[in-house]
Amino acid sequence: MNRYEEAKQKLRGSIAPIITPFNEDFSIDYPTFEKLIHWHIESGTHGISVTGTTGEPSSLTVEERVKVMETAAKAINGRVPFVPGTGSTNHQETLYLTKKAQELGADAALVIVPYYNKPSQHALYKHFKAVADSVDIPIIVYNIPGRTATNLHVDTLARLAKDCPNIIGVKESNKDFEHVNRVLLKCGRDFLLYSGIELLCFPMLAIGGAGHISATANITPDKVAEIYNAWAEGDVKRAQELHYELMELNDVLFKDTNPAPLKAALGMMGKIKPVLRLPMDLPSDDLQKEIRSVLSHYVELHDEIASK
């Protein structure tokens, strides 16, 4: 079994996309970031991802992204797989960050479809192939058309999977369930398919998915991991119960742009200072009240917040 086949066995379950916590002065709160990673691992999270959408990478400098990856690698210390997000709208930045991930011993790199510039399918092929060819760690492509304005077609992904042995999977934040079914049909049933849509985490497992990279794991890491554990153990009823149990929380966390509701919720839990960098900001007061109400059904709220 080669290293990429080994990675396909290892990189399964709930890979939590960790937020990047900030201080009141908008600097990165590294001690809190480390505490979040320890909490996730203790809660049963199967893998850690940083500087993906939930980690606000477009609000970070390249130097900050590198330091966040370095901090995460040290905190994880090999206890669970480490899958940093290294993609950018800038090709050279993507190459640089992906090489840094390899230097840090990452188990794989999560590389987003470039956003804003809307490349063609041919250009996307050339971009991802160049990234894959620049390193020898596994690559997980990240397709999120709602935020990139470009959908990576299944045929393009299948071509990449065929031509690049280290492109081993895809995170599909794609509400088109027919599309995600065709990923495994065209790329092979051993290709790693992760759900990036919260309400598709359980259904994706049913068609042969490898797990999920779900923002909700930031709030209930144990339950999001348990969805995968229950499925893997053949307890379909339990996985289904968790799917519906988390639905109200999933819904409220996406009533504003991720990770704004998420950071508000984590602030209510006393886990972080609820700070985002502009142009992102916290949800409206009304939505924060709704988040607090829903959140109280799932977790214990921080005393100062809960008393309001």
Side-chain angles (χ1 to χ4, degrees):
M1 183 182 294
N2 65 38
R3 61 178 303 183
Y4 303 132
E5 293 302 319
E6 290 175 358
K8 287 181 179 181
Q9 299 302 314
K10 183 180 182 181
L11 294 166
R12 293 177 177 273
S14 172
I15 300 176
I18 308 294
I19 60 103
T20 303
F22 298 130
N23 293 303
E24 296 291 348
D25 64 359
F26 303 106
S27 62
I28 297 174
D29 185 350
Y30 288 104
T32 294
F33 181 60
E34 292 176 12
K35 288 178 184 176
L36 288 173
I37 289 172
H38 297 316
W39 174 57
H40 270 274
I41 295 173
E42 291 163 3
S43 299
T45 289
H46 303 108
I48 300 291
S49 182
V50 300
T51 60
T53 302
T54 304
E56 293 174 81
S58 58
S59 296
L60 306 178
T61 66
V62 172
E63 292 75 20
E64 285 175 327
R65 289 184 67 171
V66 171
K67 188 171 181 182
V68 166
M69 289 195 295
E70 290 172 344
T71 304
K74 290 177 183 176
I76 295 166
N77 194 28
R79 290 178 290 169
V80 296
F82 174 40
V83 186
T86 61
S88 167
T89 193
N90 182 292
H91 179 69
Q92 292 302 321
E93 280 184 10
T94 301
L95 291 173
Y96 173 75
L97 290 166
T98 306
K99 289 174 183 176
K100 280 292 183 182
Q102 177 170 278
E103 291 173 14
L104 292 170
D107 294 276
L110 181 68
V111 184
I112 194 169
V113 169
Y115 38 92
Y116 179 74
N117 42 26
K118 298 179 71 173
S120 68
Q121 295 299 307
H122 178 64
L124 286 172
Y125 173 85
K126 290 175 68 176
H127 170 73
F128 281 109
K129 187 173 190 309
V131 174
D133 288 347
S134 72
V135 294
D136 61 8
I137 60 171
I139 300 293
I140 298 169
V141 174
Y142 180 11
N143 190 30
I144 179 168
R147 294 186 78 141
T148 63
T150 302
N151 185 37
L152 182 68
H153 294 177
V154 173
D155 287 344
T156 306
L157 182 60
R159 185 182 171 200
L160 285 163
K162 176 178 179 292
D163 295 347
C164 307
N166 58 332
I167 293 183
I168 64 168
V170 62
K171 174 185 176 181
E172 283 284 357
S173 292
N174 198 325
K175 293 184 177 180
D176 183 347
F177 202 58
E178 289 187 15
H179 172 101
V180 297
N181 275 268
R182 296 185 191 286
V183 166
L184 292 182
L185 178 67
K186 293 290 185 73
C187 296
R189 298 282 292 281
D190 64 338
F191 196 68
L192 301 182
L193 172 65
Y194 304 93
S195 176
I197 298 290
E198 277 58 34
L199 294 189
L200 294 184
C201 289
F202 170 65
M204 206 88 85
L205 293 172
I207 65 168
H212 29 266
I213 305 177
S214 166
T216 304
N218 282 274
I219 305 299
T220 55
D222 52 346
K223 291 186 181 295
V224 175
E226 192 184 349
I227 292 174
Y228 178 83
N229 292 339
W231 178 265
E233 293 164 5
D235 191 347
V236 177
K237 183 177 180 181
R238 177 57 180 158
Q240 188 181 67
E241 287 172 351
L242 286 161
H243 168 73
Y244 287 105
E245 179 183 333
L246 290 172
M247 192 174 289
E248 186 181 18
L249 180 61
N250 288 330
D251 285 346
V252 80
L253 290 177
F254 286 87
K255 288 195 172 184
D256 196 352
T257 304
N258 180 47
L262 202 57
K263 282 196 160 182
L266 285 166
M268 295 169 195
M269 294 167 64
K271 293 289 185 183
I272 66 167
K273 304 175 190 72
V275 178
L276 296 95
R277 288 178 175 175
L278 291 172
M280 299 293 290
D281 199 5
L282 289 170
S284 68
D285 289 345
D286 286 345
L287 180 52
Q288 289 198 52
K289 289 178 183 177
E290 184 178 354
I291 291 168
R292 185 178 296 121
S293 175
V294 171
L295 193 63
S296 66
H297 302 151
Y298 295 89
V299 297
E300 183 177 347
L301 300 185
H302 193 253
D303 288 345
E304 293 181 8
I305 301 294
S307 64
K308 290 184 179 180

